């Protein structure tokens, strides 16, 4: 099959993934952060290197009062994105800003030289004396313990809680600004670029699936783009999804992340006793790499799309209603935005399914690219076949049932 000509503009080169030699993690933690490693585990990542690192209590870092008992997340970013230091400054400035508003976000750890981030030269672990050297951004964060939202039962109260926190994030970011986001280039994952997905349609082998994606794209161009000037804009997380929302059981003792009980508890005012309470509460929001200045409704659509994939207890068509109820308790979408949501949700699913298929065909070992496929195709068909007025009526009834909106 033909490879789309603009692929290199759309995706980070997989060859940019850091090559980590033996002893490098220990060296980084000691030399840059003044801490001695007990053990470390590499976490899954497509293009970066992420390590959960546990360290000794004694340290040489003047900026650390006490070693975190749950360890640290050491992030070594891919060589291509590491070249743009403004990208990291913008994303982590947003993280620091949200922490001031009691949003449970990870905290950056200062190096012994006082810097929060810096690019470092890494050498490939080979016997070749001419081995290439690579420069990679390195950032250390406190590790947020818990489970991904996708691994716990998604009952209505937890979905409401997740939506409410999303609303708080959107509302908090209304006064945030950073120059990077004003000029950040559009990524293929952005919903604004849905029409560009057409150049990847040939990688969908099944004709009915390909025709469905084409129909979603055409509907987006006819119904969404003409109204886009009516949509609210603001700074958004960009990937508020089932794998970036961390939860913990409420009875577990957790380290404070500036997250108040009122914010994280599912016992929302006016809803306690009306809906089954989840034993889990949100303990962290991670991965701000897709943060941008964009449309709020696009961010909501992305969240509903991915979390609906994981719904096994309630009907996946109802997930949006419970999440919107929580979101609307903090900030509202207007009628045009609400009307566009079903198409936008299908648009994000179409993107994930199509791009995932393309990436897997380029690299058959990349099974991560197909993670959406099993539940994604049935879900997009289900939403697309449901008349929009029926789905919106269903959501509005759920929202009204909370008695707050």
């Amino acid at each position: 099959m033909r490879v789309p000509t603009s692929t290199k503009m759309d995706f980070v080169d997989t060859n940019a993934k850091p090559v980590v030699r033996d002893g490098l993690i220990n060296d980084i933690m000691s030399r840059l952060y003044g801490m001695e490693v007990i053990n470390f585990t590499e976490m899954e990542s497509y293009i970066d290197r992420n390590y959960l690192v546990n360290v000794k209590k004694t340290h040489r870092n003047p900026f650390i009062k006490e070693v975190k008992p749950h360890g640290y997340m050491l992030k070594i970013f891919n060589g291509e994105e590491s070249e743009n230091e403004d990208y990291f400054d913008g994303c982590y400035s947003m993280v620091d800003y949200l922490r001031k508003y009691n949003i449970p976000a990870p905290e950056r750890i200062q190096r012994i030289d006082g810097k929060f981030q810096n690019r470092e030269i890494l050498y490939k672990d080979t016997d070749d004396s001419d081995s290439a050297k690579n420069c990679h951004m390195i950032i250390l964060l406190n590790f947020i313990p818990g489970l991904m939202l996708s691994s716990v039962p998604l009952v209505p109260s937890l979905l409401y809680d997740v939506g409410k926190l999303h609303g708080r994030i959107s509302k908090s970011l209304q006064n945030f600004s950073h120059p990077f986001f004003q000029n950040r280039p559009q990524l293929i994952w952005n919903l604004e670029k849905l029409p560009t997905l057409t150049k990847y349609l040939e990688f969908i082998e099944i004709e009915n699936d390909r025709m469905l994606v084409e129909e979603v794209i055409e509907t987006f161009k006819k119904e969404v783009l003409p109204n886009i000037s009516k949509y609210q804009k603001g700074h958004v997380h960009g990937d508020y999804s089932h794998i970036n929302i961390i939860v913990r059981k409420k009875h577990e003792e957790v380290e404070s992340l500036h997250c108040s009980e009122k914010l994280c508890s599912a016992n929302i005012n006016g809803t306690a006793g009306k809906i089954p309470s989840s034993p889990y509460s949100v303990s962290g929001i991670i991965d701000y790499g897709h943060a941008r200045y964009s449309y709020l409704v696009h961010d909501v659509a992305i969240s509903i799309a991915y979390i609906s994939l994981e719904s096994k207890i309630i009907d996946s068509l109802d997930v949006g209603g419970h999440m919107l109820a929580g979101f609307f308790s903090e900030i509202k979408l207007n009628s045009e935005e609400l009307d566009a949501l079903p198409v936008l949700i299908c648009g994000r699913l179409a993107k994930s399914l199509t791009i995932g298929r393309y990436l897997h065909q380029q690299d058959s070992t990349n099974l991560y690219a197909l993670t959406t496929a099993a539940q994604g195709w049935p879900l997009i068909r289900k939403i697309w076949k449901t008349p929009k007025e029926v789905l919106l009526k269903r959501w509005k009834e759920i929202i009204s049932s909370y008695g707050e909106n």
Side-chain angles (χ1 to χ4, degrees):
M1 285 186 177
R2 174 182 60 84
V3 177
T5 56
S6 59
T7 295
K8 287 187 179 299
M9 295 175 60
D10 293 335
F11 305 106
V12 175
D13 184 0
T14 55
N15 291 323
K17 188 168 185 173
V19 176
V20 176
R21 60 176 170 77
D22 290 344
L24 181 63
I25 305 305
N26 295 61
D27 175 64
I28 288 174
M29 293 300 295
S30 176
R31 180 169 53 85
L32 301 183
Y33 294 97
M35 295 187 281
E36 303 304 316
V37 174
I38 297 176
N39 54 56
F40 64 87
T41 304
E42 184 166 8
M43 314 296 282
E44 184 177 278
S45 178
Y46 177 60
I47 197 65
D48 302 317
R49 297 282 187 185
N50 297 327
Y51 298 89
L52 170 57
V53 184
N54 292 299
V55 300
K56 296 179 181 179
K57 291 184 177 180
T58 56
H59 63 86
R60 298 176 285 104
N61 191 323
F63 302 101
I64 296 177
K65 294 181 180 180
E66 186 178 5
V67 168
K68 303 292 184 182
H70 299 295
Y72 298 88
M73 179 61 67
L74 177 65
K75 299 181 72 68
I76 305 176
F77 291 88
N78 66 83
E80 187 172 328
E81 290 181 319
S82 291
E83 295 176 1
N84 188 352
E85 295 196 37
D86 289 340
Y87 161 73
F88 296 96
D89 187 60
C91 291
Y92 285 99
S93 291
M94 177 183 287
V95 175
D96 295 340
Y97 182 88
L98 287 174
R99 285 176 55 80
K100 296 177 181 179
Y101 282 82
N102 294 330
I103 304 299
E107 178 184 6
R108 281 187 297 175
I109 307 301
Q110 286 177 275
R111 300 164 22 140
I112 56 178
D113 61 5
K115 296 179 181 179
F116 283 103
Q117 61 190 45
N118 200 49
R119 298 170 68 202
E120 294 288 329
I121 299 295
L122 307 182
Y123 291 87
K124 291 186 177 180
D125 188 18
T126 69
D127 295 328
D128 185 357
S129 59
D130 295 326
S131 175
K133 57 185 181 180
N134 300 287
C135 200
H136 297 268
M137 180 65 72
I138 295 177
I139 294 177
L140 188 67
L141 306 166
N142 66 305
F143 177 72
I144 299 178
L147 302 168
M148 289 190 297
L149 181 68
S150 59
S151 65
V152 304
L154 298 183
V155 299
S157 63
L158 182 56
L159 293 171
Y160 178 98
D161 203 26
V162 167
K164 185 176 183 66
L165 181 53
H166 196 186
R168 284 185 64 95
I169 291 173
S170 298
K171 186 164 66 173
S172 298
L173 289 174
Q174 287 180 334
N175 296 318
F176 172 77
S177 65
H178 190 282
F180 169 73
F181 295 111
Q182 302 306 314
N183 300 301
R184 182 173 190 180
Q186 289 286 323
L187 305 174
I188 192 172
W189 290 106
N190 294 9
L191 272 170
E192 296 93 312
K193 291 192 68 176
L194 184 62
T196 65
L197 198 63
T198 54
K199 65 187 176 185
Y200 296 97
L201 291 178
E202 64 183 277
F203 295 94
I204 304 176
E205 300 96 332
I206 301 175
E207 184 178 2
N208 286 341
D209 292 344
R210 187 167 58 251
M211 290 175 62
L212 173 57
V213 173
E214 288 176 334
E215 190 174 341
V216 171
I217 294 171
E218 289 306 309
T219 304
F220 174 87
K221 291 194 290 187
K222 292 177 182 178
E223 297 185 7
V224 176
L225 288 182
N227 292 309
I228 203 163
S229 63
K230 301 175 183 177
Y231 304 157
Q232 303 169 78
K233 297 196 74 172
H235 291 86
V236 299
H237 179 279
D239 194 11
Y240 188 79
S241 66
H242 57 304
I243 60 174
N244 291 327
I245 300 171
I246 306 300
V247 299
R248 294 200 73 184
K249 284 191 174 181
K250 295 174 184 175
H251 68 266
E252 293 179 350
E253 182 178 349
V254 296
E255 178 184 6
S256 172
L257 291 167
H258 301 291
C259 178
S260 68
E261 182 65 21
K262 182 179 180 181
L263 169 62
C264 289
S265 174
N267 294 320
I268 308 297
N269 292 338
T271 65
K274 292 184 180 181
I275 52 178
S277 178
S278 170
Y280 295 93
S281 61
V282 180
S283 62
I285 308 300
I286 61 174
D287 196 349
Y288 292 75
H290 286 264
R292 59 187 184 274
Y293 184 77
S294 182
Y295 299 96
L296 299 189
V297 67
H298 287 192
D299 206 41
V300 173
I302 290 169
S303 183
I304 293 176
Y306 283 120
I307 294 175
S308 295
L309 287 169
E310 303 298 320
S311 185
K312 301 176 180 64
I313 294 178
I314 68 171
D315 193 319
S316 55
L317 293 180
D318 290 337
V319 169
H322 295 288
M323 292 178 63
L324 287 171
F327 188 88
F328 284 5
S329 69
E330 297 291 338
I331 187 172
K332 298 289 193 299
L333 295 179
N334 60 42
S335 58
E336 289 84 6
E337 292 168 325
L338 189 58
D339 186 72
L341 257 182
V343 176
L344 291 171
I345 291 169
C346 289
R348 181 59 182 211
L349 290 171
K351 269 185 176 289
S352 185
L353 292 164
T354 305
I355 294 174
R357 192 64 205 151
Y358 163 74
L359 292 175
H360 179 69
Q361 290 192 20
Q362 301 308 300
D363 178 9
S364 60
T365 65
N366 180 15
L367 299 179
Y368 181 77
L370 299 179
T371 53
T372 303
Q375 291 82 30
W377 286 113
L379 178 62
I380 191 174
R381 291 190 194 98
K382 183 176 183 178
I383 297 175
W384 198 248
K385 289 180 180 179
T386 303
K388 181 168 64 175
E389 60 272 14
V390 172
L391 184 57
L392 292 176
K393 181 175 183 292
R394 195 164 173 164
W395 287 348
K396 290 175 181 178
E397 289 175 350
I398 292 172
I399 294 169
S400 296
S401 73
Y402 283 84
E404 300 180 337
N405 303 288

